[in-house]
Amino acid sequence: MRWAPLSVSMVAYDGHPMDVALASLAALGIDVVELAYIEGYSATFDEALFSPANARAVRATLADAGLTCRAVSAHFDMSRAGGGDALCRRLEFAGEVGAQMVATVSGPAVRRDAFLDHLAQATKLAEQLGVTIALENPADDVDAALNDGADAAQIAAAVDHPLVRINYDPGNFLTHRPGQAAHVDIEPALPYCIGLHLKDLRQEGEGWVHTALGDGSILWDEMFDRMAPLAVQPLLSIEIPTRMRRDSRGKIVLQSEPMPLAQIETLLMRSKALVDAQIARLNE
């Protein structure tokens, strides 16, 4: 069974300079990264991040560190006014840095039609760039145009375009639909999955905290078993937002200070070990 190289989302290093984060990843033996420009995750988020000049600077920084970018997490409400233009900016940025996909969320169900219109607009640019739009399930409790695996499958099948795929996030499903099993929910979406965010959380008090893979509520044996029969495996990316937790409604609570590098590296290496063990188990 063939798996693409594991990537790590830069969201783990939120609050640290990019060059410091990339050097840390390189030292851990990670060659592939997922850039993260997610509204609400970072206090420094700005649309100017998607400028051509910044894309060129980021690509040069990646090259200097000896790393490549496979995906860009650029979550925002696609249904909002100007959402199609905003997604196009993110696609152009991804193309410039060499990424093959952009992950984002749909927005609330009450603006489903706007989400679909903006998706159709951006798909035309995706064709020109050869960059996949990877729709992701949300984490908060707002009813979304795309809530779960069944929604993801329905939308991907209806759009019926090879560059509109799914990036499933089991950790997001935990906080969006508490009490339901992500490894069951993902099943209808699997034929359309280009990517899988490897994220784990556990309940703490009235909210949720992110953990190393295996220390939270996701049943990883079950999750990997669901992927095993696929002819093409989803691209796997460890995503641990170390600077945030989620409240009882799945809303982001951002910590004032970033996690120390040594703790981030420990979380990532423990998580990587779980992924390596799962793949080895399936390859036996």
Side-chain angles (χ1 to χ4, degrees), residues 72 75-76 78-79 87 101-107 112 115-116 118-120 122-123 132-138 145-149 151-157 159-161 163-169 172 189 192-197:
V72 178
H75 299 350
F76 75 107
M78 270 183 63
S79 70
L87 182 53
M101 74 179 196
V102 171
T104 188
V105 291
S106 63
R112 177 187 171 93
F115 152 65
L116 292 173
H118 297 158
L119 178 61
T123 301
T132 298
I133 300 169
L135 302 174
E136 188 167 325
N137 52 300
L146 190 163
N147 288 292
D148 52 27
D151 288 346
Q154 187 276 322
I155 290 170
V159 172
D160 191 23
H161 195 288
L163 293 179
V164 177
R165 301 284 91 183
I166 303 303
N167 187 68
Y168 191 84
D169 191 316
N172 283 0
Y192 306 97
C193 277
I194 187 175
L196 182 75
H197 270 163

Side-chain angles (χ1 to χ4, degrees), residues 3 6-7 9 34 167-172 195-201 210-213 218 220 223-224 227 234-241 268 271-272 274-276 278-279:
W3 301 77
L6 179 69
S7 72
S9 170
E34 178 179 305
N167 187 68
Y168 191 84
D169 191 316
N172 283 0
L196 182 75
H197 270 163
L198 302 173
K199 180 191 293 174
D200 213 342
L201 300 94
H210 295 89
T211 71
L213 302 183
I218 299 295
W220 292 108
M223 187 65 67
F224 275 84
M227 291 187 284
L235 302 172
L236 304 180
S237 183
I238 295 174
E239 187 188 49
I240 307 177
L268 292 177
S271 298
K272 182 178 182 299
L274 180 140
V275 178
D276 290 344
Q278 288 290 343
I279 291 175

